Amino acid sequence: MKFFPEFNFYSESWIERPVDEVFEFFSHAENLQVITPPWLSFQILTPQPISMAAGTLIDYRLKLYGLPMKWKTEISVWEPPYRFIDAQLKGPYKKWVHEHRFIADNGGTRITDSVDYAIPGGPFSYMIHKMSVRGNI
């Protein structure tokens, strides 16, 4: 029996722009490179432009602690301008499901991110999570 505990990351931010405009920014996959920390050396491998919709597949390359890795996600839910979900099909996690929500709030947009994820490591998963993963999400 394999042991992969699941974790959740949640964050909220507010932007003084309308929901439609904020969602439009996030609907362009190339903008993921703009908002990803440079130390990850993040690069989209899928030819662009990428037409975003449920079922869209996107391949990436990045480096974590200097180790190169590939990542493939699928847009599993696409509900403009309110939410979308991307799920890892191939990558460093045992599970990665990331829901992005966009909510009109006080003349701007509240963005919520909720990530359900599991990491490899069996009985060491909690220690690996505490030492390296949690601070990088």
Side-chain angles (χ1 to χ4, degrees):
M1 174 180 218
K2 294 189 178 187
F3 176 72
F4 300 109
E6 290 193 16
F7 302 94
N8 177 271
F9 170 81
Y10 180 84
S11 73
E12 285 190 20
S13 55
W14 184 84
I15 298 177
E16 192 175 344
R17 307 299 309 159
V19 169
D20 290 342
E21 187 177 317
V22 174
F23 191 90
E24 176 67 19
F25 175 85
F26 280 86
S27 73
H28 295 280
E30 65 271 14
N31 287 334
L32 189 53
Q33 276 182 230
V34 173
I35 61 174
T36 300
W39 56 269
L40 286 172
S41 301
F42 182 86
Q43 181 181 15
I44 297 173
L45 301 176
T46 302
Q48 296 182 45
I50 298 169
S51 179
M52 299 291 275
T56 297
L57 302 176
I58 307 172
D59 290 297
Y60 316 91
R61 180 175 36 228
L62 57 101
K63 289 183 182 176
L64 188 57
Y65 301 113
L67 299 172
M69 57 186 68
K70 290 189 176 181
W71 194 322
K72 180 187 230 49
T73 60
E74 176 182 18
I75 303 299
S76 58
V77 174
W78 186 254
E79 298 174 354
Y82 305 108
R83 77 179 185 128
F84 69 94
I85 297 174
D86 58 275
Q88 175 193 281
L89 299 179
K90 179 183 175 188
Y93 293 88
K94 287 294 183 188
K95 174 185 179 183
W96 176 275
V97 179
H98 184 180
E99 180 177 23
H100 312 255
R101 286 192 175 265
F102 305 87
I103 302 144
D105 182 26
N106 198 27
T109 301
R110 183 167 29 106
I111 302 169
T112 66
D113 288 286
S114 180
V115 183
D116 292 321
Y117 62 101
I119 58 175
F124 302 104
S125 295
Y126 288 104
M127 182 176 61
I128 294 168
H129 181 261
K130 184 177 180 180
M131 291 174 52
S132 65
V133 176
R134 186 64 179 184
N136 290 317
I137 292 182

